Amino acid sequence: MTYRQTLAVALLTALYLCCELAFNARLLDVVGGSASPAEVHHIEIFGRGLSGIAVALVLLQLLLGARARSGRRTPSAMAMLFWCLLSAGLVYGSLQLLVDHLVARSDAQMRRTSLTIVLVQRALVNGQVQLDGLDDDPGLFARPEGKAFLALFPAMAVSVERLDDKVRDAKLELISRGVLGRLGQAQGVYRQYEQAVTQLREQYERYRRAPGPVDLEAEIPRRQDDAWNDYLADLGKRGWTPSTVPGMARRSVLQKVRARVPVPADWQLGDEAGFREAVATQVRRQAGQAAGRLVVGGQAIPPGLGWEAFFGHAGVQAELRKRLQLPARVTLLPAYGSAELFEKGVVQPLVREVAQRELAAYEAPVKAFEPGGAHFQKGEDAARAVIVPPVALFFSLLGAIGHLAKLVYLLLRLATGAVPAWRGLRRLWLVPVGLLAASAAGLSLASNAVTDSRLYGYMHAQVLHGAGDDAAGRAQARALLTGLHWVAVGQGLGYPVNEWVRTRVLHNFDFGYEPPPR
Amino acid sequence: MNHLPADAARRPSPLLTALLAAALLVAPAAPAWAGCHGLQLHAHRGAPGGPENSLSAVQQAWDGAWDGAEIDVQTLRDGRWVLHHDLKLGRTTSLQGRATTELPSEAWREVRVKDRQGRLTAEAAPFLADLATQLPARDDKVLNIELKQLNPSCQAVEGVVQGLSRSRPDGRWFLTAIDRRVLQCVRRADRQGYLGLIVLDPQALAREAPARAQPLAQRVKPPVLDRAWLQRLQQEVGSPVGVHVDINTLGANPALLADALALGVPVFTYHLGPDREHATALRRQARGSGLLPTGAIIDGTPAAFCDQLGQP
């Protein structure tokens, strides 16, 4: 490559690295948090796109080198562009296929276990549970290494022997806490309940003060007299009676009357009987509307209800449940006395009931997670949630580290080209390779609070144990554990830099995900 | 015709004037008031509980303690007589700015009357003929009808008399007017009936006028109603004829009641202000001459008026 081509590729690589590092920081937020499957899927698109660009950059460098060596203008710029785009697209699609393949490859047992793993992982993320064996550090999961552990936890937990048995007793509690978390905690529900009751009380007071059913027998003649008198008075101000309205003014008078009273279009100005009938119709219609005026929860509230009866009305209860996001079977009372009594009377039974129902999926036999089974889809979603984070992190790290090494190599090329004394230097690629080797060694030897914890050690051992005595399996397990260790340690070290790049260089670009406050 | 004020109507026509004269001799100091010292009390434009010159107001006067009801009548464009006081419609009716003479009967039927607070009611403005037909006959009540129409034709006036004669044959009604020529027209149609000449008092009118016009009251003089004037009235209109005067005129003519008594001319009083002033003026008159008029046109209730009249 020429000096200028090398400089251009180096700049492109640096630009890509900024995006990749920033993405890596945000990816750790996603996979180490309680992101929904949709949010994970969304950020995956960015990840696959960046991986595609990474490969395209490598290819570009190779093509430029080949073009320089050929001494001709081959391959052409258009050809290079084509191959770069094609390679980026292929990588993008391949990664999608890889994830789908890994998810599809999971068996019913894996899906069932994944469900439990996700349950525990979510509980960890939300601080609803503490793991025995992990040092009691409340701030751990807010730190990069803690986030990395949360991201890797599912991958490691898959190998934990009899995981289901080990967490069986805690399942109901974890599910209950999850349900409570979705409800907004008991105190939060009670506050919402109190606000809803206050608003409902105001609504009730308006309802109570509203005029009762109209006595149509008395109301209609009164309104008829008033309306007719108003009509006569309006005409009288202009010196007219209905029979003396000049012909040219009759139309406008009729329009004015019709704006207030629903007389027919062909109504005669002196037709008092027709006028009165129209007023009667209007009064009846208004009375009918007034009778059904207060509609709560889609149901009309009958007049004259006391506070208790009003509160207990099906429409009011439906509205309350909707506002508090409670299921239909919950019946609320106008008062509970305290948040504790409310929790005891409403929240706890509700959470117990929902949790018991949800527990059925976790306790379901493996067969229910087979294709066509009752919990197949739920299990597959859980398996995806277990598989995607480490895969995404792995490829992100791979791209970042590989291009970091490549950038170092390109910078050395530029430096040797610019400094006459260095022009004789050869095998520059050894520098980035050495750097990678040194990094790998450093990451392998380094540790942090997570990797030093008893739980990590236990899970580490469980992964090895799960590999059995097969040499290939043990090699795979060791490779996995090494990779996980690198991620756990490397993310702890790299996250601050990556986050700095994301927030400062990319102006807080969020890749479509904003983590909820812890 | 036997239409005449109060209980005199039940007596034969030749005795009419003598009995009317007797009604003038009332002792004001009498402890027990027989029919308010013999005074006939007519509800001014009907009873105060109803709209002015409305059927309901007259009906209330009929049902109440009044001896009669005073109403004002004018003609429509087609000559029919209706109850209305003002020169123009509006103060008491839904229709504004028009004179009754501009309206056909069809339009009048569409007019509604206002109550005494100026609020429009559902009550239709009445025709005199309807009132005369619908009002029940009562031998203790009299309808005091003021012909308010300016310069009516004799034919129109005679029409009123003929209509009333037909609809109220008991004769318990009489007509009044401010123009003695109108009364002369009435007399042609009604040889024996009581007629009243309303004497406008410019000084009293000026006193009731807006503040800037009140200085005029001192410059104008109340009319002089002496014995000669009464005799001329009798000659021009024909007996039985009476005078309906403002209390200011009565005060300015202290001999009026005595002269009227001597000539057998009934005297009715009215006042543009409150009944209290009206009663006070009559009380003062009674103290001076020992006489009270035949009747009074009052705005309030008879009981209240009599109480005020009987105060020391």
Side-chain angles (χ1 to χ4, degrees):
Chain A
M1 285 196 299
T2 63
Y3 185 85
R4 289 177 66 179
Q5 285 172 337
T6 305
L7 181 62
V9 172
L11 287 173
L12 284 173
T13 303
L15 185 62
Y16 156 79
L17 267 176
C18 285
C19 296
E20 185 65 66
L21 295 178
F23 169 75
N24 186 268
R26 185 39 44 118
L27 181 64
L28 196 63
D29 291 334
V30 173
V31 298
S34 56
S36 67
E39 287 170 325
V40 172
H41 174 72
H42 188 255
I43 203 158
E44 252 192 290
I45 295 171
F46 279 100
R48 290 199 295 270
L50 282 170
S51 295
I53 292 170
V55 171
L57 276 176
V58 171
L59 187 63
L60 176 66
Q61 190 173 336
L62 292 174
L63 290 172
L64 283 172
R67 180 178 159 124
R69 282 192 300 273
S70 71
R72 300 190 302 272
R73 289 183 175 272
T74 54
S76 67
M78 285 302 291
M80 286 193 290
L81 179 65
F82 169 76
W83 287 114
C84 286
L85 289 175
L86 181 66
S87 61
L90 283 174
V91 170
Y92 184 93
S94 300
L95 287 176
Q96 173 74 61
L97 286 173
L98 175 65
V99 170
D100 289 345
H101 170 70
L102 290 174
V103 172
R105 212 185 66 170
S106 64
D107 59 10
Q109 181 61 50
M110 165 72 176
R111 285 190 282 272
R112 187 175 186 278
T113 306
S114 296
L115 202 62
T116 303
I117 290 169
V118 170
L119 173 70
V120 177
Q121 198 251 5
R122 289 278 159 80
L124 281 170
V125 169
N126 294 325
Q128 293 164 346
V129 67
Q130 283 190 330
L131 289 177
D132 186 26
L134 201 61
D135 293 343
D136 186 15
D137 183 352
L140 178 63
F141 294 131
R143 295 206 299 273
E145 59 267 32
K147 288 183 179 183
F149 174 76
L150 288 172
L152 301 177
F153 173 81
M156 295 177 80
V158 169
S159 304
V160 173
E161 197 176 28
R162 293 183 291 109
L163 176 70
D164 197 49
D165 293 340
K166 288 172 182 168
V167 298
R168 175 162 291 141
D169 294 341
K171 265 188 205 171
L172 185 61
E173 177 63 20
L174 292 179
I175 295 169
S176 298
R177 292 188 182 196
V179 172
L180 193 56
R182 292 205 298 273
L183 283 174
Q185 299 297 331
Q187 289 286 344
V189 178
Y190 185 64
R191 272 196 299 276
Q192 288 178 31
Y193 161 80
E194 282 187 315
Q195 288 171 0
V197 171
T198 302
Q199 290 171 359
L200 198 61
R201 186 82 210 190
E202 291 169 2
Q203 193 175 17
Y204 171 73
E205 288 303 320
R206 289 196 296 275
Y207 156 84
R208 191 175 60 80
R209 287 194 298 268
V214 177
D215 179 5
L216 289 177
E217 292 298 315
E219 182 68 3
I220 288 174
R222 189 184 67 76
R223 293 275 295 275
Q224 285 174 326
D225 288 346
D226 286 351
W228 184 251
N229 278 357
D230 287 346
Y231 169 56
L232 292 182
D234 283 349
L235 291 181
K237 284 174 191 165
R238 306 176 74 172
W240 300 333
T241 67
S243 62
T244 62
V245 175
M248 60 187 293
R250 298 184 82 80
R251 188 177 182 82
S252 66
V253 169
L254 176 61
Q255 285 174 346
K256 196 173 175 186
V257 170
R258 295 194 75 204
R260 293 188 296 188
V261 178
V263 292
D266 59 349
W267 178 72
Q268 298 300 306
L269 300 188
D271 178 12
E272 185 174 349
F275 183 96
R276 286 178 175 273
E277 185 51 43
V279 172
T281 303
Q282 186 179 40
V283 173
R284 285 193 197 97
R285 190 170 60 232
Q286 288 170 349
Q289 287 168 351
R293 189 171 45 212
L294 185 59
V295 175
V296 183
Q299 297 189 37
I301 305 295
L305 294 185
W307 167 238
E308 302 275 342
F310 179 85
F311 196 94
H313 190 274
V316 174
Q317 288 285 322
E319 181 67 21
L320 274 172
R321 284 193 296 265
K322 184 180 171 189
R323 209 178 296 178
L324 302 179
Q325 296 181 318
L326 298 176
R329 60 192 165 281
V330 174
T331 301
L332 292 163
L333 299 175
Y336 288 91
S338 68
E340 287 72 28
L341 291 174
F342 179 79
E343 184 180 352
K344 199 176 287 183
V346 176
V347 178
Q348 286 179 359
L350 174 66
V351 167
R352 252 196 316 274
E353 186 186 334
V354 175
Q356 284 289 355
R357 202 170 55 251
E358 290 190 5
L359 182 63
Y362 292 87
E363 297 291 315
V366 174
K367 196 172 175 172
F369 290 87
E370 289 177 351
H375 301 301
F376 170 74
Q377 189 59 51
K378 206 168 188 176
E380 194 179 60
D381 288 345
R384 185 176 288 274
V386 167
I387 290 167
V388 166
V391 170
L393 266 182
F394 174 76
F395 280 103
S396 176
L397 275 175
L398 188 67
I401 292 171
H403 279 78
L404 196 59
K406 186 163 71 87
L407 182 62
V408 170
Y409 170 76
L410 290 170
L411 291 175
L412 283 172
R413 286 278 304 271
L414 289 171
T416 55
V419 182
W422 292 358
R423 281 182 186 162
L425 289 176
R426 294 290 180 270
R427 295 181 181 171
L428 292 175
W429 54 270
L430 285 173
V431 176
V433 170
L435 277 174
L436 285 175
S439 300
L443 289 173
S444 298
L445 295 173
S447 64
N448 58 25
V450 169
T451 57
D452 287 343
S453 68
R454 285 182 295 117
L455 178 65
Y456 187 85
Y458 171 73
M459 294 176 83
H460 191 277
Q462 286 289 310
V463 172
L464 281 176
H465 179 73
D469 295 331
D470 177 31
R474 290 186 71 80
Q476 270 188 353
R478 285 201 176 279
L480 173 67
L481 287 171
T482 303
L484 294 176
H485 187 88
W486 286 357
V487 170
V489 175
Q491 288 291 357
L493 299 171
Y495 181 85
V497 176
N498 299 346
E499 182 66 1
W500 183 88
V501 171
R502 190 185 73 79
T503 54
R504 301 297 176 87
V505 179
L506 296 191
H507 297 286
N508 211 22
F509 185 67
D510 61 9
F511 294 92
Y513 175 75
E514 191 60 43
R518 277 182 185 277
Chain B
M1 289 290 171
N2 267 351
H3 41 272
L4 66 168
D7 52 354
R10 293 192 298 274
R11 292 171 172 78
S13 178
L15 298 175
L16 179 66
T17 51
L19 290 170
L20 285 173
L24 296 169
L25 300 171
V26 178
W33 297 74
C36 198
H37 285 271
L39 268 179
Q40 293 185 47
L41 298 178
H42 292 178
H44 190 202
R45 302 171 195 167
E52 282 187 21
N53 285 308
S54 68
L55 189 57
S56 62
V58 176
Q59 185 64 58
Q60 285 177 37
W62 234 238
D63 297 336
W66 292 270
D67 298 301
E70 186 267 355
I71 58 172
D72 308 287
V73 296
Q74 302 185 46
T75 59
L76 297 177
R77 190 169 66 197
D78 53 16
R80 294 193 66 181
W81 289 84
V82 295
L83 276 65
H84 186 68
H85 176 273
D86 296 352
L87 195 61
K88 293 277 189 184
L89 295 165
R91 184 180 63 83
T92 62
T93 58
S94 58
L95 184 58
Q96 298 181 19
R98 298 295 185 93
T100 56
T101 48
E102 297 175 43
L103 300 175
S105 294
E106 185 185 11
W108 184 254
R109 282 194 196 91
E110 295 165 342
V111 175
R112 297 292 178 268
V113 292
K114 292 177 181 173
D115 64 17
R116 307 260 175 167
Q117 284 73 47
R119 294 177 301 230
L120 207 55
T121 71
E123 188 171 354
F127 287 89
L128 176 60
D130 293 341
L131 174 77
T133 307
Q134 294 171 25
L135 205 60
R138 290 274 301 263
D139 58 7
D140 58 341
K141 305 285 181 180
V142 66
L143 199 55
N144 173 351
I145 304 165
E146 179 180 348
L147 298 172
K148 208 75 182 175
Q149 190 65 49
L150 294 173
N151 303 316
S153 67
C154 267
Q155 186 181 6
V157 172
E158 287 166 11
V160 176
V161 175
Q162 288 160 3
L164 288 168
S165 300
R166 278 196 300 274
S167 55
R168 302 198 71 77
D170 62 357
R172 300 201 61 78
W173 52 270
F174 64 81
L175 298 171
T176 66
I178 58 171
D179 187 344
R180 61 183 70 193
R181 289 172 301 179
V182 173
L183 294 182
Q184 287 167 344
C185 288
V186 176
R187 181 58 75 206
R188 281 188 221 161
D190 182 6
R191 296 289 176 191
Q192 295 179 331
Y194 170 78
L195 301 176
L197 179 71
I198 295 170
V199 181
L200 290 180
D201 185 336
Q203 189 176 54
L205 289 172
R207 282 177 184 164
E208 294 301 321
R212 67 173 183 273
Q214 285 180 9
L216 286 172
Q218 302 307 317
R219 299 186 202 169
V220 295
K221 299 290 182 192
V224 176
L225 307 183
D226 54 16
R227 187 173 289 225
W229 186 91
L230 291 172
Q231 286 173 328
R232 194 161 60 250
L233 174 66
Q234 285 179 314
Q235 288 168 2
E236 290 176 1
V237 176
S239 294
V241 65
V243 287
H244 295 220
V245 296
D246 180 81
I247 56 169
N248 189 57
T249 309
L250 184 65
N253 296 276
L256 175 62
L257 291 182
D259 291 339
L261 176 62
L263 296 172
V265 174
V267 177
F268 282 80
T269 56
Y270 65 90
H271 178 48
L272 300 175
D275 276 359
R276 178 174 38 77
E277 293 175 3
H278 192 169
T280 302
L282 292 188
R283 201 166 60 235
R284 194 180 304 120
Q285 180 70 31
R287 284 204 191 102
S289 65
L291 297 172
L292 282 172
T294 313
I297 317 299
I298 62 173
D299 291 301
T301 63
F305 188 83
C306 288
D307 282 350
Q308 288 155 357
L309 191 62
Q311 283 174 5

